[in-house]
Amino acid sequence: MGDTNGVTPRDWTAHPPLIHPDYKSTVKRGPTKPLVPIRQSLSELTGPAYGHDALAPLDNDLTKNGAKNGDPLGERIVVTGRVLDELGRPQPNALIEIWQANAAGRYIHEADQHNAPIDPNFFGGGRAVTDGEGRYTFYTIKPGAYPWPNHANAWRPNHIHLSLFGPAFASRLVTQMYFPGDPLLALDPIFLGTPEGARNRLVSDFSIDVTEEGFALGYVFDIVLRGPKETPMEAGR
Amino acid sequence: MSDLKQTPSQTVGPYFAYGLTARQYGYRHTSIAEGAMAGEDIEGERIRVEGRVFDGDGNPVPDAMIEIWQADSQGRYAHPADGRGSNAGFTGFGRTGTGTDPKHRFIFDTIKPGAATEGEAPHLNVVVFMRGLLTHVFTRIYFGDEEAANAADPVLSSVPTDRRSTLIAARTGNTYRLDIHMQGDNETVFFDV
């Protein structure tokens, strides 16, 4: 049955609460009763497995995968990082799906009616699978900020949505990556819904080393997922 | 001990459809999984699993995303931690949004799973995502026509008696129906997986 040592528990000092009234949609959508503890079984310790065969050639290049007759407008960026577990072990073959607004802050989603232009050469969706060292890379356009109806003059900070599959179903994570120095972070109830000590883990780092000269600014975003608990042997090292 | 800390969850938001469920919603992008999970060559009893997601006001949620993870008809998971190996071609993973059905149902066409281990009842493992959920929630769907197995299931037995019904889908023909209630008197049991 393989490693049934279990997966580390969800760290509730890292994750936002289910109801955070400043983010108004949580009030009627977040469960109110305590979560029921569960003894982990194969159901939680297994999970969907995707490999590099799940990818099409341009899936990780959002500057090209939606192009119709030219390049998308905006600031070209490269986003890279590693997917790790809490023990720092790289997570190879982790599927990452991303989606984001275009440079003007407009999603291709038909429900987005923000009065900003659609970019005919930008779709905004992509995916990647981590390599043997847990590393992924996306090329994209820096997403724009956009208004939303949560409160008066509410604006979402620049962000990229990420969805990840790790080593087990219990590792599942959907999150958002933000950009350093964004003044909207201090005003955003979604970002601020995250426990204070954990928020900086959602903010990518600008890196001149990752920046590709004459081509794209570089950002680094490492992601830590729940993984197998350490074995007694690892604990004793 | 742990050296690194978990990356916090954030909401899936209102605009996931073109990224995560593109084919279902008609966007020009592929999807890694859909509500249709079992091709013709997959062994097992064909079933449909459907339901709606209700918010605290009793309104159906039109922008939820539901994922299920399940064993094959013999109770085997398609994952290395299950050394038995699974039914070739059956990934066991489905994903669908509630935004394309006129009644805002989630609909999975799949096969009925077997019990993974002795003493467990067959079930679907479920994750619920939506705008307004900063952290996704886990639940399960059990099958109403498996009364004896359900009565013996260790997870179901750990749930207070008066809340177990929130996890058990009723069968009509080949369709199992179960609604997910985020809040209220019938609030679904969500697990701290």
Side-chain angles (χ1 to χ4, degrees), chain A residues 1 9-10 15 23 25 27-30 32-33 36 43-44 97 100 110 127 167 172 175 178 201 224, chain B residues 4 6-8 10 18 27 30 56 67 69 77 79 81 95 123 131-132 135-136 140 183 187 190 192:
Chain A
M1 225 156 67
R10 265 209 272 197
H15 301 293
Y23 174 21
S25 300
V27 174
K28 293 293 185 182
R29 291 183 163 196
T32 62
K33 293 183 167 60
V36 175
S43 295
E44 292 75 37
E97 299 167 274
Q100 64 166 85
E110 63 180 25
R127 55 179 81 93
R172 188 85 179 85
T175 188
Y178 301 97
R201 294 173 218 158
V224 179
Chain B
L4 302 175
Q6 290 170 23
T7 301
Q10 295 278 270
Y18 71 92
Y27 290 100
T30 52
E67 291 182 346
W69 168 242
Y77 284 102
H79 186 272
R95 174 194 277 172
H123 61 270
R131 170 178 65 83
T135 300
H136 58 268
R140 286 184 172 192
Q183 299 182 350
E187 183 176 314
F190 298 106
D192 192 12

Side-chain angles (χ1 to χ4, degrees), chain A residues 1-204:
Chain A
M1 225 156 67
D3 184 357
T4 52
N5 196 31
V7 172
T8 56
R10 265 209 272 197
D11 175 1
W12 289 103
T13 68
H15 301 293
L18 294 170
I19 295 180
H20 177 65
D22 288 350
Y23 174 21
K24 294 206 170 68
S25 300
T26 67
V27 174
K28 293 293 185 182
R29 291 183 163 196
T32 62
K33 293 183 167 60
L35 301 180
V36 175
I38 194 168
R39 191 181 63 84
Q40 291 179 350
S41 67
L42 271 182
S43 295
E44 292 75 37
L45 304 177
T46 57
Y50 289 94
H52 294 269
D53 55 354
L55 301 180
L58 292 177
D59 272 0
N60 78 327
D61 190 345
L62 284 69
T63 70
K64 294 201 172 79
N65 71 15
K68 287 184 177 151
N69 55 16
D71 292 328
L73 296 173
E75 186 181 320
R76 193 184 297 121
I77 61 173
V78 52
V79 178
T80 189
R82 295 213 297 165
V83 180
L84 306 160
D85 70 10
E86 291 162 273
L87 292 173
R89 294 175 291 207
Q91 300 298 305
N93 295 313
L95 175 67
I96 308 179
E97 299 167 274
I98 69 168
W99 69 104
Q100 64 166 85
N102 69 20
R106 176 81 184 260
Y107 287 89
I108 204 77
H109 196 293
E110 63 180 25
D112 183 2
Q113 296 301 314
H114 173 37
N115 181 22
I118 295 276
D119 185 336
N121 290 308
F122 190 73
F123 179 71
R127 55 179 81 93
V129 171
T130 56
D131 68 14
E133 297 178 330
R135 194 171 301 282
Y136 71 91
T137 302
F138 286 102
Y139 290 90
T140 186
I141 297 294
K142 189 171 182 183
Y146 57 85
W148 64 306
N150 188 70
H151 57 273
N153 208 12
W155 291 77
R156 291 301 326 282
N158 306 333
H159 64 277
I160 296 175
H161 294 268
L162 300 97
S163 162
L164 289 102
F165 293 89
F169 199 52
S171 312
R172 188 85 179 85
L173 180 71
V174 169
T175 188
Q176 300 180 27
M177 181 200 102
Y178 301 97
F179 291 85
D182 190 333
L184 292 172
L185 289 172
L187 303 169
D188 180 50
I190 293 179
F191 178 71
L192 296 178
T194 311
E196 189 173 0
R199 286 175 202 155
N200 63 352
R201 294 173 218 158
L202 296 171
V203 182
S204 58

Side-chain angles (χ1 to χ4, degrees), chain B residues 17-36:
Chain B
Y18 71 92
L20 299 183
T21 53
R23 207 176 290 152
Q24 177 195 351
Y25 283 74
Y27 290 100
R28 53 178 179 88
H29 187 43
T30 52
S31 296
I32 56 149
E34 297 184 72

Side-chain angles (χ1 to χ4, degrees), chain B residues 28-183:
Chain B
R28 53 178 179 88
H29 187 43
T30 52
S31 296
I32 56 149
E34 297 184 72
M37 296 167 60
E40 283 179 10
D41 52 339
I42 306 299
E43 174 192 318
E45 180 189 1
R46 263 57 189 169
I47 60 168
R48 170 168 283 198
V49 178
E50 63 172 51
R52 294 194 285 177
V53 182
F54 291 94
D55 69 14
D57 288 328
N59 296 318
V61 174
D63 56 358
M65 184 176 84
I66 308 295
E67 291 182 346
I68 65 176
W69 168 242
Q70 67 165 98
D72 70 10
S73 59
Q74 297 186 52
R76 302 172 303 195
Y77 284 102
H79 186 272
D82 188 337
R84 297 168 295 181
S86 77
N87 204 332
F90 185 62
T91 66
F93 181 66
R95 174 194 277 172
T96 193
T98 58
T100 59
D101 179 72
K103 294 177 180 169
H104 301 306
R105 288 174 297 185
F106 57 85
I107 299 171
F108 292 99
D109 288 311
T110 184
I111 53 165
K112 192 170 178 183
T117 59
E118 201 176 324
E120 271 190 289
H123 61 270
L124 307 173
N125 306 290
V126 180
V127 198
V128 181
F129 303 89
M130 69 182 82
R131 170 178 65 83
L133 266 188
L134 283 163
T135 300
H136 58 268
V137 287
F138 293 94
T139 183
R140 286 184 172 192
I141 295 177
Y142 287 87
F143 301 99
D145 55 347
E146 297 281 346
E147 284 183 28
N150 289 344
D153 184 81
V155 171
L156 208 45
S157 301
S158 73
V159 172
T161 317
D162 62 343
R163 298 191 67 199
R164 286 179 199 164
S165 64
T166 69
L167 301 173
I168 301 174
R171 181 166 191 159
T172 307
N174 285 326
T175 299
Y176 290 92
R177 287 193 183 84
L178 184 67
D179 292 329
I180 295 172
H181 295 270
M182 302 310 296
Q183 299 182 350

